[in-house]
Amino acid sequence: MFKLAIASLWNRRGSVWLTILAIAVSTLLLLGVERIRVQTQANFSNTISGTDLIVGARTGSTELLLSSVFHIGNLSNTLSWQSYEHLRELPGVTWHIPMAMGDSVHGFPVIATTDALFERFKYGNKRPLQFAAGGSFQQHDELTIAVLGAEAASERQLQVNDDLIVAHGTGEISFSQHDAHPFRVVGVLKRTGTPIDRGVFIPLEAQGLVHGEYLPADEHDDHAGEDHQHDRHEHEAHQEPPVYTLSAVLLGLENPALALRLQRTINTYRGEALSAIMPGLALQNFWRTLSLFERALVAISVLVVITGLLGMLTTLLASLRERRREMAVLRSIGAGPITILGLLVVEAFVVTLVGVMLGTVGLYSVLIFGAELLQQQLGIHVSASVLTLRELYLLLAILLAATVLSLFPAWRAYRNALADGLTVKL
Amino acid sequence: MSTCVELKQLQFTWPGAQLPLLSIPELTINRGERVLLRGASGSGKSTLLGLIAGIHTSGPGQVKVLGEDLAGLSQHRRDRLRANDIGYIFQQFNLLPYLSAMANVTLACQFAPARRQRLAQQSISAEAENLLTRLGLTAAQQRQPAHQLSVGQQQRVAAARALLGSPALIIADEPTSALDQAHRDDFIQLLFEACDAQQTTLLFVTHDATLAPLFPRAIELSDINHGGGGRDV
């Protein structure tokens, strides 16, 4: 019966190929969307870990999350250096990463921070940042130095000891450039698959310098005389602050369970209106708002699959008419109506199976040969990993749906076979 | 075990029709007989064949094939009986156009375990080749897809399929109406020879009265059928 179905399909290969193609394309789309969805979500929740609280000026949690973790958007409000000093002293705080943002290098966000970022920041499964080349700020005496994320470095083709110009504002093209202060690259980070890759990290003092907020200690000796050998990371509290305002501060706590209490303390801080968010929770909330979009994407791809299957149904139904003769011949040599029904179901199954396999092969060719393009053009990183169980279920669901759908034309053929018997009028 | 087909008090009415199409008090065809059944178009010939082949059903005891009361058999058993013991030849378009002549013939054994059994001593394809050769198809023609063969060749392939595995009964429904006279007589002669070789009963249905002299027994359907609900076909 199987061989017969194949032979019959081969006889109609023109239209069958088109049907297979339609199913392959819809399978490719469904799998592709599923893959992008899952990997985006994974990338998303991997962006930050180990940080217990993110503190910024009073704002919405999503805004604070977007600016501090994803470096997207501009926080209109900032928190003062005094608030940062207060935060550092809060009980239970073991580490803190100040961040000041607003500048950019050819569209890559510039994040002014301290070495604490390279030591304390974790992403994914508590993985620390690592240097691919060079090192952090602390080995260098000069201020106008920068550490680059992997993508920023590779896209701008910058290496350690290269110079770069920081521009004010976050646009790709800026008319006000801080070109009086070229920065020297001192380190390049390894790829993390998070927004860190796009970051350009400079010391806080450098940010203050290019904005005219900070003068290195040796240039205003008279005020800060006692602190000649400026070890800025240890002593910035006692000096003139390197910057007056910060965009956000990441806090690590002794005990993560304290986060909730500390959050309330910070939110009710009297010196300044502050917001503290827990990154895990905020990410989850944010993802929930994105999930509408995500669900729409899945819905569309499911609809495309249904369209593909309906196309197959149509071709099957249309072929029934011209195949009545074929059915009658089969009946005459003893094929039962159930055999006729089975023949059509097998046919639909084979067509769908080939379509689904072709679609899967297509997906992998896109993933393997198009990965570079996807990454460059869309910034989507999708790996060509083995099919997940969920993807296999999706493929099985397509096959099952096709088989169930094919019962309809198969039933028609069954009825025809019973009614026509051996007399078919052409 | 001498009767092959036995009709008794057969009444058949199509659903929705007022009068029975077929009402045949009695008809018996013995094994090995070669019978011509003549009837005009729409007289119920094809319906009668459908009843004998077990496609349509009538009341209990009315149609017996090889001693089996068809009304007492399930759909599946009737399909099986047809596959095993009845070879069927249509007027035309007998073959699956996308299979070779050879594959069309061997297809007869696909649903018929008894035919395969009867062929046990030789392979199915060897016997199919044998039959096709005897019916005058060259080896090259046997490999060709069925749709490339002429109508006459197609009918001979259909005959080979019906004969393969020595079924007890061959039903031929106007197999020669698409052939010219020379081919027609040729075909009937070949069919006779093959049936004789296998001792197969032949029920040959036609509207063409000129064929009657070729058959030992010719039946006029209107003589035996008292039903009047003929359809326009």
Side-chain angles (χ1 to χ4, degrees):
Chain A
M1 187 158 92
F2 189 74
K3 268 169 70 181
L4 207 58
I6 299 286
S8 180
L9 281 173
W10 185 248
N11 182 43
R12 288 169 286 124
R13 54 189 175 277
S15 62
V16 167
W17 270 122
L18 281 180
T19 311
I20 286 177
L21 202 67
I23 292 173
V25 168
S26 50
T27 304
L28 171 72
L29 191 74
L30 184 72
L31 281 187
V33 164
E34 169 68 12
R35 203 147 260 234
I36 289 173
R37 192 184 68 81
V38 168
Q39 298 209 351
T40 309
Q41 188 172 12
N43 289 348
F44 190 81
S45 53
N46 276 341
T47 47
I48 186 167
S49 77
T51 299
D52 295 304
L53 284 175
I54 302 174
V55 185
R58 180 65 46 85
T59 180
S61 77
T62 304
E63 274 175 291
L64 186 52
L65 183 81
L66 282 180
S67 67
S68 62
V69 178
F70 294 93
H71 317 307
I72 297 171
N74 265 319
L75 280 179
S76 42
N77 295 326
T78 50
L79 71 153
S80 68
W81 188 259
Q82 284 73 27
S83 300
Y84 171 51
E85 285 181 334
H86 169 76
L87 290 171
R88 295 196 297 204
E89 305 306 325
L90 284 173
V93 173
T94 49
W95 54 264
H96 42 85
I97 304 171
M99 289 173 145
M101 285 159 282
D103 286 347
S104 71
V105 175
H106 297 279
F108 292 99
V110 171
I111 299 114
T113 183
T114 65
D115 272 329
L117 179 82
F118 309 120
E119 287 153 19
R120 297 297 193 171
F121 187 86
K122 302 249 175 24
Y123 68 98
N125 193 17
K126 303 233 162 138
R127 288 164 68 181
L129 297 179
Q130 285 176 307
F131 282 92
S136 62
F137 305 141
Q138 67 195 7
Q139 295 103 325
H140 304 274
D141 278 342
E142 62 205 291
L143 286 179
T144 52
I145 52 178
V147 169
L148 301 182
E151 208 181 313
S154 69
E155 211 161 298
R156 300 306 309 167
Q157 298 185 324
L158 289 168
Q159 287 169 342
V160 172
N161 285 331
D162 286 350
D163 280 346
L164 69 119
I165 304 289
V166 173
H168 192 65
T170 50
E172 181 130 8
I173 296 161
S174 175
F175 298 105
S176 110
Q177 301 193 327
H178 302 304
D179 43 10
H181 303 281
F183 282 72
R184 191 169 65 84
V185 178
V186 296
V188 174
L189 294 170
K190 279 191 181 162
R191 187 171 283 277
T192 63
T194 73
I196 291 283
D197 290 350
R198 294 183 59 82
V200 173
F201 303 92
I202 61 169
L204 278 177
E205 292 82 353
Q207 168 100 345
L209 185 72
V210 297
H211 288 171
E213 292 172 9
Y214 174 72
L215 289 175
D218 47 346
E219 284 178 30
H220 54 118
D221 260 351
D222 23 339
H223 317 216
E226 76 274 289
D227 230 273
H228 230 271
Q229 238 0 34
H230 63 271
D231 185 353
R232 51 185 183 268
H233 303 294
E234 297 308 316
H235 299 278
E236 52 205 5
H238 311 298
Q239 299 179 325
E240 187 82 352
V243 289
Y244 297 133
T245 58
L246 291 171
S247 305
V249 179
L250 310 186
L251 293 182
L253 304 182
E254 242 166 65
N255 179 357
L258 289 175
L260 208 62
R261 211 172 69 204
L262 208 63
Q263 185 184 28
R264 211 172 39 236
T265 315
I266 295 170
N267 282 340
T268 56
Y269 174 58
R270 290 185 175 277
E272 195 175 8
L274 296 180
S275 293
I277 59 167
M278 285 185 267
L281 213 64
L283 275 173
Q284 226 168 51
N285 283 335
F286 183 49
W287 187 254
R288 217 167 289 151
T289 56
L290 287 184
S291 68
L292 189 72
F293 174 69
E294 168 210 62
R295 261 177 290 172
L297 211 62
V298 172
I300 289 169
S301 46
V302 167
L303 283 178
V304 172
V305 170
I306 290 175
T307 315
L309 292 182
L310 283 181
M312 181 193 68
L313 188 68
T314 316
T315 12
L316 265 184
L317 277 174
S319 74
L320 282 190
R321 210 179 164 71
E322 53 189 275
R323 293 172 66 198
R324 284 186 133 177
R325 191 74 226 177
E326 189 182 327
M327 301 303 171
V329 169
L330 288 174
R331 287 283 279 150
S332 79
I333 59 163
I338 294 290
T339 310
I340 305 285
L341 186 137
L343 207 61
L344 279 155
V345 174
V346 167
E347 204 170 276
F349 184 81
V350 168
V351 165
T352 316
L353 188 70
V354 174
V356 162
M357 290 196 303
L358 212 65
T360 312
V361 169
L363 175 79
Y364 278 100
S365 353
V366 168
L367 288 184
I368 291 165
F369 300 111
E372 197 80 354
L373 208 68
L374 272 177
Q375 173 90 45
Q376 278 169 8
Q377 299 294 314
L378 302 171
I380 298 172
H381 177 69
V382 186
S383 60
S385 49
V386 192
L387 284 181
T388 64
L389 202 60
R390 200 183 131 84
E391 286 167 332
L392 276 179
Y393 282 147
L394 278 179
L395 295 183
L396 282 181
I398 295 176
L399 277 177
L400 193 71
T403 311
V404 170
L405 267 182
S406 74
L407 285 177
F408 176 60
W411 175 249
R412 284 274 295 271
Y414 175 88
R415 293 291 304 274
N416 283 348
L418 280 181
D420 292 350
L422 304 179
T423 57
V424 172
K425 294 158 283 284
L426 288 172
Chain B
M1 275 299 279
S2 62
T3 62
C4 181
V5 178
E6 198 178 356
L7 307 182
K8 248 189 201 136
Q9 304 302 331
L10 172 66
Q11 294 279 336
F12 186 82
T13 312
W14 280 105
Q18 293 288 314
L19 293 165
L21 174 64
L22 294 172
S23 172
I24 302 175
E26 181 160 27
L27 175 66
T28 306
I29 298 171
N30 289 318
R31 289 214 165 187
E33 260 194 300
R34 297 202 293 258
V35 180
L36 177 116
L37 181 68
R38 206 208 72 82
S41 291
S43 59
K45 295 182 311 242
S46 294
T47 309
L48 179 60
L49 296 185
L51 283 163
I52 295 171
I55 297 279
H56 309 304
T57 47
S58 57
Q62 295 179 357
V63 181
K64 282 187 183 171
V65 174
L66 302 169
E68 296 259 29
D69 181 5
L70 292 187
L73 298 180
S74 67
Q75 167 89 59
H76 176 71
R77 294 277 305 280
R78 277 183 280 129
D79 287 338
R80 193 39 71 85
L81 178 75
R82 180 170 69 255
N84 283 336
D85 294 312
I86 302 176
Y88 205 103
I89 307 172
F90 290 105
Q91 185 172 343
Q92 54 179 321
F93 308 117
N94 273 291
L95 310 176
L96 300 183
Y98 46 84
L99 296 181
S100 69
M102 191 69 188
N104 262 292
V105 174
T106 52
L107 200 61
C109 286
Q110 173 117 26
F111 304 99
R115 288 198 196 203
R116 286 199 293 271
Q117 220 161 32
R118 285 193 289 263
L119 284 173
Q121 58 272 47
Q122 67 244 77
S123 83
I124 294 171
S125 51
E127 176 61 14
E129 208 178 319
N130 215 348
L131 272 169
L132 281 169
T133 312
R134 217 176 334 142
L135 288 167
L137 274 96
T138 64
Q141 285 164 342
Q142 292 175 21
R143 308 272 165 241
Q144 272 176 22
H147 65 86
Q148 289 179 4
L149 299 174
S150 73
V151 179
Q153 287 163 342
Q154 288 191 27
Q155 289 305 77
R156 276 179 276 165
V157 174
R161 184 178 64 203
L163 287 160
L164 184 69
S166 315
L169 172 65
I170 299 265
I171 299 176
D173 185 4
E174 308 233 24
T176 55
S177 63
L179 304 179
D180 59 44
Q181 192 175 353
H183 279 100
R184 188 191 70 184
D185 294 349
D186 223 28
F187 178 80
I188 291 174
Q189 215 48 55
L190 284 169
L191 201 57
F192 280 177
E193 282 166 23
C195 285
D196 278 347
Q198 299 186 347
Q199 284 148 4
T200 299
T201 314
L202 175 66
L203 176 57
F204 193 104
V205 179
T206 183
H207 67 277
D208 183 0
T210 61
L211 292 175
L214 298 172
F215 284 80
R217 181 179 172 197
I219 302 167
E220 196 63 42
L221 184 59
S222 54
D223 292 345
I224 56 164
N225 180 20
H226 305 307
R231 299 182 301 170
D232 291 333
V233 174

